Amino acid sequence: MLKTTANKITVFRILLVPVFLVLCYSGKRIPALIVFLLASLSDLADGYIARHYNQISDFGKFMDPLADKILVMAAMCYFVEVGRMPGCALAIVLLREFAVSGMRLVAVEQGRVIAAGWSGKVKTAATMICLCLMLLIGPPGPEDSAPDIVAQVSTAVILITTVYSGAEYLWKNRDIFRSAD
């Protein structure tokens, strides 16, 4: 399970999530941003190491995307709670993740593996960049609407990339449901 460097980095990313949340709720915005960036960049590192050094494992195939989802959902839950993001945005992202995961389960039952597409990779990158921007801007001040605008634009980018990638993923693999009983 944790024999490879790639898997150790994935577990490290998951362990950073509670640290990130403690920093967020303690009002330590910049340290939280640094931890979030470290966790986000570790995703690139473990993927590179797994492919380059042939450390691809079933554990990694399962845990790597799960670690990403845990990190992103933790950040989004925090932003919903502090009023920086509407709850419906989080609900849409969750719906997409459940739909895609469900489709992957049906595909596995049919002996198919569905690789992540480019739109999903763009969605992940855009989401992590937008969440970093939201961490960077801090709470809105009484006369300053810039943080609100950044949060609104970031939320819109997250939603657009999420809906597009989810719709593309479901459309390209719609035949999976035709052959499912």
Side-chain angles (χ1 to χ4, degrees), residues 7 17 25 36 39-40 43 46 49 53-54 60 68 75 81 92 96 110 116 136 138 156 161 181:
N7 288 345
V17 173
Y25 286 105
F36 188 85
S40 297
D43 180 36
D46 72 21
I49 290 169
Y53 295 103
N54 197 27
D68 295 340
E81 187 170 347
I92 290 167
R96 185 254 186 220
Q110 296 174 6
L136 189 61
T161 57
D181 292 333

Side-chain angles (χ1 to χ4, degrees), residues 59-77:
F59 177 82
K61 288 178 191 175
F62 175 73
M63 289 304 294
D64 181 63
L66 184 60
D68 295 340
K69 288 170 185 39
I70 291 168
L71 177 65
V72 167
M73 294 304 160
M76 290 183 73
C77 285

Side-chain angles (χ1 to χ4, degrees), residues 23 39 48 55 73 89 104 109 119 153 155 165:
L23 292 169
Y48 173 80
Q55 294 184 5
M73 294 304 160
R104 278 198 167 129
E109 287 294 319
S119 66
V153 170
T155 300
S165 68

Side-chain angles (χ1 to χ4, degrees), residues 26-94:
S26 299
K28 294 177 172 56
R29 203 169 33 89
I30 300 304
L33 173 62
I34 291 168
V35 169
F36 188 85
L37 279 169
L38 178 63
S40 297
L41 293 174
S42 75
D43 180 36
L44 296 173
D46 72 21
Y48 173 80
I49 290 169
R51 286 185 298 279
H52 189 73
Y53 295 103
N54 197 27
Q55 294 184 5
I56 296 170
S57 66
D58 289 338
F59 177 82
K61 288 178 191 175
F62 175 73
M63 289 304 294
D64 181 63
L66 184 60
D68 295 340
K69 288 170 185 39
I70 291 168
L71 177 65
V72 167
M73 294 304 160
M76 290 183 73
C77 285
Y78 169 74
F79 287 125
V80 167
E81 187 170 347
V82 298
R84 196 34 86 73
M85 179 181 283
C88 64
L90 175 61
I92 290 167
V93 172
L94 283 169

